[in-house]
Amino acid sequence: MPKDSNGLTLDGQGKPLWLSLEITYRCPLKCSWCNNPLDFDDYAARELSTDEWKRVLREARELGALQLGFTGGEPLQRPDLEELVAYANALGFYTNLITSGIGLTEARLVALKAAGLKQIQLSLQATEAAVTDALVGATAHERKLDAARRIKAHGFPMVLNMPVFRQNIGMTDAMIAWAAELGIEYIEFANIQYYNWALMNRDELMPTLEQVREAEQVVQRWRDTLGKKMTIYFVIPDYYEGRPKACMNGWGAIHLTIAPDGVAMPCQEARVIPGLEFESVRDKPLAWLWHESPLFRKYRGLDWLPEPCVSCDEKEKDFGGCRCQAFLLTGDAGNTDPACGRSPHHARVREATDTAARPLRFRKPLFKRAAGTVTTAFLED
């Protein structure tokens, strides 16, 4: 059965407990670690309509989905977000908004509260405006801080998410101090996974192991100081752990993502893997897609595992790791995740971590997420 890193059982008993709706890939920011597809702008004209999203919500609830994340892109780019939240709330979902905060005005917060939104996850990249704005390619820092204050003023439970990389990992202490002062209940430091835009920028973004360990110590000091006042998550990059993560708690185990064009996926990155059959809720019932489609059955469970995973006593914890990462680093999604120290391809990960530890003569420009082209912006450490 899938388990999280704390050993708690996360067995969905065949149900997609967590539903992620990528209602649009449109976004006002240009983050260099974005996990949206490199060709994200090609999907804008194919987004599901309001009624189509409502049908997805009904079918997902019938399947047993409980937790719901509205995400993107930036979900606030959809003017029907409040209508979808209200509909999901009426169906019995616990609704989460995963947002950059750009566009989260007072009027929209009031409307989302009235619609029944239960929780908001806000991303904040740094404690300094110059760093935030450079990283996201827009004047965003002050608007993010304002969004955080508004969220708390309206009484929403709030998760503050700081994606971690070498440019901001040294701000861990300052970020926790700021969050504690505002009264934020949960803060997550998520060392980024290297897919899509992040993989293009990996050499520039990856922190060193020394930086990660120092940040861990900072987090532990704050945990000791704050106790139960704040829950602090620190997600260690699997490149440094020597063991892979159970990606989405197992392929097709508890997590279901619906892309803007209606394609159902076991994770938001699955489209990077060639040769898979991607089918849309426009063409097939969601129940069939979850239970019977070749895509969801491809890497579900343990029967597909290669060696050394088949013989590994941890296979029921990590399920061979991430299929997308295996493909991106080895060219074959059926391989053991190279993040695993037992993988025959682990040298690919060691090369990356060795590069991160070496002093570079100069910093290369970051490839910025941009529609129709790849632009660059220079950002020093």
Side-chain angles (χ1 to χ4, degrees), residues 15-329:
K15 300 176 183 179
L17 299 183
W18 177 262
L19 176 64
S20 179
L21 299 190
E22 297 181 314
I23 56 177
T24 183
Y25 285 145
R26 288 174 283 146
C27 182
L29 305 183
K30 301 178 181 179
C31 302
S32 298
W33 59 94
C34 182
N35 61 13
N36 287 169
L38 297 181
D39 60 346
F40 68 91
D41 51 312
D42 293 343
Y43 295 86
R46 307 200 302 271
E47 290 180 6
L48 296 184
S49 67
T50 304
D51 287 342
E52 286 175 318
W53 278 121
K54 287 181 177 180
R55 178 168 59 81
V56 169
L57 288 167
R58 289 194 302 273
E59 293 184 13
R61 192 69 185 90
E62 290 169 0
L63 278 172
L66 300 171
Q67 296 273 344
L68 168 60
F70 289 98
T71 183
E74 173 49 65
L76 289 163
Q77 294 278 304
R78 290 275 304 214
D80 59 354
L81 174 62
E82 291 84 352
E83 182 177 351
L84 294 174
V85 169
Y87 193 79
N89 183 62
L91 290 173
F93 280 103
Y94 185 89
T95 51
N96 300 263
L97 174 64
I98 302 169
T99 179
S100 68
I102 307 304
L104 193 59
T105 62
E106 180 71 13
R108 296 206 76 174
L109 262 176
V110 169
L112 287 166
K113 186 82 170 182
L117 183 67
K118 298 298 190 294
Q119 179 175 283
I120 298 178
Q121 177 178 306
L122 175 73
S123 64
L124 181 62
Q125 288 70 33
T127 53
E128 299 175 9
V131 178
T132 298
D133 294 348
L135 284 168
V136 303
T139 304
H141 186 78
E142 292 302 325
R143 287 187 283 175
K144 286 174 171 285
L145 298 187
D146 182 63
R149 289 188 286 265
R150 290 178 186 273
I151 291 167
K152 292 309 301 172
H154 282 276
F156 282 102
M158 176 178 168
V159 178
L160 182 69
N161 175 271
M162 183 174 124
V164 177
F165 22 78
R166 72 163 65 218
Q167 288 84 352
N168 67 358
I169 194 169
M171 298 180 178
T172 303
D173 183 73
M175 186 65 79
I176 299 174
W178 178 82
E181 183 177 357
L182 192 61
I184 292 171
E185 300 91 345
Y186 305 92
I187 184 169
E188 179 183 24
F189 295 95
N191 280 272
I192 60 173
Q193 295 291 104
Y194 293 96
Y195 311 113
N196 297 336
W197 300 91
L199 184 60
M200 294 173 65
N201 292 295
R202 187 180 63 187
D203 289 350
E204 299 302 313
L205 293 175
M206 184 178 291
T208 65
L209 180 58
E210 181 181 6
Q211 288 177 308
V212 172
R213 296 305 182 214
E214 288 175 357
E216 280 187 296
Q217 293 174 7
V218 169
V219 166
Q220 190 56 53
R221 286 201 304 271
W222 275 105
R223 285 172 176 161
D224 295 340
T225 299
L226 295 174
K228 295 182 179 180
K229 293 180 181 178
M230 180 190 293
T231 300
I232 308 174
Y233 301 98
F234 187 84
V235 182
I236 300 171
D238 55 6
Y239 275 44
Y240 287 123
E241 284 195 293
R243 288 292 180 271
K245 293 181 173 62
C247 187
M248 297 300 177
N249 298 293
W251 179 282
I254 66 169
H255 187 96
L256 172 60
T257 292
I258 309 295
D261 60 348
V263 165
M265 300 179 289
C267 76
Q268 64 267 36
E269 307 299 338
R271 266 179 163 152
V272 304
I273 303 174
L276 299 180
E277 299 178 50
F278 295 99
E279 299 186 83
S280 173
V281 296
R282 284 177 167 143
D283 304 315
K284 299 283 188 179
L286 194 58
W288 183 89
L289 292 168
W290 174 258
H291 289 296
E292 303 297 335
S293 70
L295 175 65
F296 279 85
R297 294 166 66 91
K298 179 71 173 178
Y299 299 112
R300 182 178 269 156
L302 302 173
D303 292 343
W304 65 273
L305 288 173
E307 288 289 2
C309 302
V310 171
S311 305
C312 180
D313 58 4
E314 297 185 19
K315 63 186 176 185
E316 293 191 8
K317 296 179 181 179
D318 59 44
F319 302 94
C322 176
R323 299 303 87 227
C324 302
Q325 187 159 269
F327 168 73
L328 290 169
L329 297 186

